[in-house]
Amino acid sequence: ILNVEQSPQSLHVQEGDSTNFTCSFPSSNFYALHWYRWETAKSPEALFVMTLNGDEKKKGRISATLNTKEGYSYLYIKGSQPEDSATYLCAFYSSASKIIFGSGTRLSIRP
Amino acid sequence: DTGVSQDPRHKITKRGQNVTFRCDPISEHNRLYWYRQTLGQGPEFLTYFQNEAQLEKSRLLSDRFSAERPKGSFSTLEIQRTEQGDSAMYLCASSPIGGTNYEQYFGPGTRLTVT
């Protein structure tokens, strides 16, 4: 059974602080890993598509790393801002064309 | 084209009624996906179309559920004889012809509440 886990489930961070959270996925049959940001009442928005072991991607204050051999990815947010409040989802894409989402990390930024 | 749209955004129905949701993908995208998300869980794959052909269906898609994409453009998801367990967010996503790495563009979802 393929399982994708995200931790923590929720996180409360003071504005200006940096934070990170984890996505764990099967280390076999890996094809790609996506990170999405999902704000309330909006569409999930793709942040990163990661395919190679050791990938590091960055978009502004947000970055992500990928370790396919051990089956994890980290998402980092530097200097959190209120607009970063959202649920962050990771999605594991297997070489068998299976798509499995984690249950998300709900991030709240305190002003 | 401003993205993937879904209609309605919210639906409240009584148990036993039928409901139908619509998804309009980004116009040049030939792949269309339906997902369901229940409270505290991530989106779960339901079904996938390439053009008008339904290529894959999850075991989650019971015989009360049917999805169509008759002309390879918009898609509908119908749930017959709704049950309280069908209460969830139903998400649609599309991806482009020749897209790699499974990039998907999501709609805002339809939230279904079965009373």
Side-chain angles (χ1 to χ4, degrees), chain A:
Chain A
I1 295 176
L2 299 178
N3 200 28
V4 176
E5 295 185 356
Q6 290 188 247
S7 62
Q9 286 187 328
S10 64
L11 197 53
H12 298 269
V13 174
Q14 193 70 34
E15 182 177 353
D17 287 351
S18 297
T19 188
N20 64 84
F21 25 93
T22 308
C23 173
S24 300
F25 52 85
S27 55
S28 59
N29 299 316
F30 176 87
Y31 186 82
L33 187 88
H34 289 201
W35 280 100
Y36 292 89
R37 175 169 59 201
W38 194 1
E39 294 178 65
T40 303
K42 294 187 178 179
S43 307
E45 171 200 356
L47 288 173
F48 302 114
V49 175
M50 309 185 81
T51 56
L52 298 175
N53 185 44
D55 254 357
E56 292 188 21
K57 299 273 176 125
K58 187 174 180 183
K59 185 186 288 188
R61 296 179 291 100
I62 305 177
S63 60
T65 61
L66 179 69
N67 183 323
T68 60
K69 292 184 179 178
E70 295 183 38
Y72 64 83
S73 175
Y74 293 137
L75 189 81
Y76 301 91
I77 302 178
K78 186 177 178 182
S80 304
Q81 298 297 308
E83 60 265 28
D84 296 328
S85 296
T87 296
Y88 291 81
L89 290 168
C90 67
F92 166 78
Y93 293 76
S94 77
S95 52
S97 302
K98 298 298 180 188
I99 304 166
I100 304 169
F101 280 82
S103 55
T105 292
R106 182 171 293 184
L107 177 66
S108 297
I109 308 301
R110 294 189 294 259

Side-chain angles (χ1 to χ4, degrees), chain A residues 43, chain B residues 1-9 20-34 49 51 68-77 90-95 104-110:
Chain A
S43 307
Chain B
D1 195 315
T2 57
V4 179
S5 62
Q6 292 187 245
D7 183 69
R9 294 289 302 274
T20 300
F21 310 140
R22 177 177 170 128
C23 171
D24 286 88
I26 293 172
S27 57
E28 63 269 23
H29 289 186
N30 71 334
R31 296 178 187 148
L32 187 147
Y33 306 78
W34 284 99
F49 290 85
N51 299 314
E68 294 183 345
R69 196 182 182 198
K71 297 181 181 178
S73 57
F74 73 91
S75 176
T76 57
L77 178 69
Y90 290 84
L91 288 165
C92 174
S94 67
S95 65
Q104 295 188 21
Y105 298 79
F106 281 85
T110 294

